[in-house]
Amino acid sequence: MFALTQPGGLGILALALLLSLCGMSNRQSKSPPNLSIRLHGEVRRSEKFEQEIGRGLAFRLVPDEYGWNIEVGPKDGTDNYLDCVNGPLHGITPYQIEGWLFRNDDNTATRKPSELTTPGIGEKREFQFVLTAIDQAKSCADLDKMEHIYDGKDPKHTAALNRFGEHAGGDGSVTITSMTLGHLEPRAQAWIESMRFEATFSFRTADENHEH
């Protein structure tokens, strides 16, 4: 196995959720206060990580053969509220964390930082997400128009393009702090044996959402 580690150490690692509520009181205001959440965790190959982050939502690392996919969605469901409000729309995305992305093409050495197609160790993978199934449906309908109305001057295509990401009400990031890779045979595809990470989440106020 091959270990990749961020210089400087990891600090405290725990599967605990740390909530920092800025200006919150027991009384609800008309515009919900911005909620900032920070968590640390560790996963091993084929394990799923799931942690509630508020607003009825959960952050998930969903395993596949080579690593994990980042998701945010309803805590009792499987919908992914990142799906229709983030780019790139095709190809490899920052929301895929797979071992082979960190290795060169023949799997004989670590891929050079300049050749990485997703953020490396210690770098943030940033994203936004919607908060409700209704906003998910609206966002995905707009995405469908963007991708399947091929006339760039069509008003429906233009309107959908201008609304891309408009319904997102939350922002998040995942940073890998250390990683151990496995399946390092030449010409094979490497997978991740274990990974430590930190993640942050915040919910926008009504004014902030309008500005985005």
Side-chain angles (χ1 to χ4, degrees):
M1 293 186 289
F2 184 82
L4 299 175
T5 306
Q6 180 189 25
L10 301 172
I12 298 173
L13 293 170
L15 299 183
L17 181 63
L18 303 179
L19 299 180
S20 174
L21 306 182
C22 301
M24 282 197 75
S25 67
N26 292 329
R27 298 180 181 179
Q28 295 294 323
S29 61
K30 291 182 180 179
S31 180
N34 198 345
L35 176 64
S36 180
I37 300 167
R38 185 182 182 90
L39 62 88
H40 300 255
E42 180 174 3
V43 283
R44 298 186 181 279
R45 186 167 184 243
S46 300
E47 288 181 348
K48 180 180 180 180
F49 180 93
E50 186 164 6
Q51 175 69 61
E52 291 185 34
I53 59 172
R55 306 288 183 92
L57 301 179
F59 160 63
R60 298 187 288 264
L61 291 175
V62 180
D64 62 22
E65 183 178 0
Y66 301 105
W68 291 268
N69 291 294
I70 298 169
E71 295 185 2
V72 172
K75 63 182 181 181
D76 297 321
T78 58
D79 288 344
N80 182 11
Y81 285 178
L82 275 68
D83 269 348
C84 298
V85 291
N86 292 283
L89 303 181
H90 302 285
I92 297 168
T93 76
Y95 327 114
Q96 296 170 268
I97 306 176
E98 301 194 338
W100 60 273
L101 294 170
F102 297 87
R103 300 285 288 174
N104 63 9
D105 291 343
D106 59 6
N107 197 27
T108 57
T110 303
R111 192 177 295 274
K112 297 178 181 179
S114 61
E115 297 175 351
L116 290 172
T117 55
T118 62
I121 307 298
E123 298 179 338
K124 285 186 177 181
R125 297 164 181 258
E126 296 181 309
F127 50 86
Q128 57 184 353
F129 52 91
V130 301
L131 306 183
T132 68
I134 292 174
D135 285 341
Q136 172 80 341
K138 291 177 181 177
S139 299
C140 292
D142 281 341
L143 182 59
D144 184 70
K145 293 183 179 71
M146 289 167 56
E147 292 195 295
H148 297 107
I149 297 177
Y150 302 109
D151 182 358
K153 296 181 180 180
D154 188 301
K156 292 181 180 179
H157 175 93
T158 302
L161 184 64
N162 290 337
R163 284 193 301 264
F164 183 69
E166 181 181 274
H167 301 292
D171 300 284
S173 72
V174 171
T175 303
I176 301 167
T177 54
S178 71
M179 173 188 296
T180 301
L181 299 178
H183 203 219
L184 302 183
E185 294 85 355
R187 295 178 296 282
Q189 281 191 289
W191 57 53
I192 302 173
E193 292 285 353
S194 64
M195 179 179 74
R196 291 173 176 172
F197 64 91
E198 62 181 29
T200 63
F201 303 91
S202 62
F203 298 103
R204 302 173 191 168
T205 64
D207 289 341
E208 288 172 328
N209 200 45
H210 180 72
E211 290 171 2
H212 279 74

